[in-house]
Amino acid sequence: MFSIGDFAKHGRVSVRMLRHYDAIGLLRPAHVDPFSGYRSYTGDQLARLNRVIALKDLGFTLTQVQEILDAEIGADELRGMLRLRRAELEAAIAADEARLKAVEARLRSIESEGSMPTEDVVVKSLPAVRVAELTGTASGYVNEEIGPVVQGLYQELFGALGPITPSGPLIAYYEDDTDGERVLIHAAVPIAAETDGSEGFSTVRLAEVPAAATILHRGSMETVLSSYQALAKWVDSHGYRANGPAREFYLECPDDGDKWITELQQPITKA
């Protein structure tokens, strides 16, 4: 038998916590001295304590923990709950990180307010290009919505290309879907090879653009907001308007996303 202090030490919990578990009937002492009121526990009770702490840390309420333990759940089922909870926490962490990156992108745009790119923007024509492309949809123009769709499309596209070698940098462009609520995403790669329509992708000719305002974005696409807004402000302040969907021309895409170089290309016409 262990005193409550020793049992708390072996279970890596506080004495106060054990007293609370006793009070609510979650983990009763094996013996309570009728004269002194001292609580004593057995080594076998460590198993129940371990389950209580594991389930509580998985996010269950103490009432739910009581119900689960009364059902005599096994170690395998607990392991399954742990895997599920780990996946939920990892998803929550990823979502929080994405939100923080989005806030950082907004902050950079706020910090650049009042400044206007001049030499950074270049107006030029874009030649017609024949591309292999796949199309998908996202629910909005935010990185956490668009990014996974673009990545998935390119993975599928390169699988479908097989022996066909791209003849230039990747190109992505976005349009409002016909319902006006979603974004139509085109993931494309220039090709020179002949196709017969059975390859698993569409072959499209992107028309020549007589005039496009372009700006280089250096860094990951998670930080592209400030570059897009700088380009939009330049177009507006110089008496132009957009004349078709903007393109992303991925010039350099090393493994380190912070070292990417992407040319943002906005077709324009005089307002």
Side-chain angles (χ1 to χ4, degrees), residues 37-243:
Y38 287 164
R39 299 171 174 87
S40 299
Y41 297 81
T42 67
D44 289 342
Q45 288 183 286
L46 287 170
R48 184 175 178 90
L49 177 61
N50 288 337
R51 284 164 169 75
V52 169
I53 300 303
L55 290 167
K56 184 170 69 73
D57 288 347
L58 283 172
F60 292 100
T61 67
L62 292 181
T63 299
Q64 292 170 326
V65 170
Q66 178 80 63
E67 294 171 352
I68 292 171
L69 292 181
D70 288 347
E72 297 184 351
I73 188 170
D76 289 342
E77 291 173 282
L78 279 173
R79 175 64 63 181
M81 290 180 179
L82 173 60
R83 292 193 188 99
L84 178 60
R85 182 59 175 159
R86 178 187 290 124
E88 291 173 345
L89 290 173
E90 288 174 348
I93 290 170
D96 287 341
E97 289 178 344
R99 277 192 289 270
L100 284 174
K101 289 178 180 177
V103 171
E104 289 174 355
R106 292 286 176 183
L107 180 58
R108 276 188 289 272
S109 294
I110 292 170
E111 291 171 339
S112 65
E113 288 174 357
S115 62
M116 187 67 63
T118 54
E119 297 176 357
D120 292 340
V121 175
V122 176
V123 176
K124 62 184 180 182
S125 62
L126 306 178
V129 58
R130 180 171 171 271
V131 300
E133 77 168 35
L134 290 176
T135 304
T137 58
S139 59
Y141 283 97
V142 291
N143 286 331
E144 53 264 38
E145 299 285 350
I146 288 179
V149 177
V150 173
Q151 292 169 15
L153 288 173
Y154 272 119
Q155 288 176 357
E156 184 180 351
L157 178 58
F158 276 100
L161 283 173
I164 298 176
T165 302
S167 59
L170 308 183
I171 303 170
Y173 60 103
Y174 314 98
E175 301 176 277
D176 291 334
D177 203 356
T178 52
D179 61 10
E181 297 292 331
R182 297 175 300 170
V183 181
L184 199 60
I185 300 172
H186 302 268
V189 57
I191 58 171
E194 294 299 321
T195 57
D196 59 16
S198 65
E199 295 83 6
F201 54 78
S202 299
T203 302
V204 178
R205 183 179 182 276
L206 299 182
E208 179 185 0
V209 175
T214 67
I215 190 172
L216 287 181
H217 170 71
R218 301 178 186 275
S220 77
M221 297 309 291
E222 293 171 340
T223 64
V224 76
L225 177 65
S226 57
S227 296
Y228 259 126
Q229 291 193 351
L231 184 60
K233 288 191 291 185
W234 186 95
V235 169
D236 182 61
S237 66
H238 285 74
Y240 293 99
R241 60 178 174 83
N243 187 31

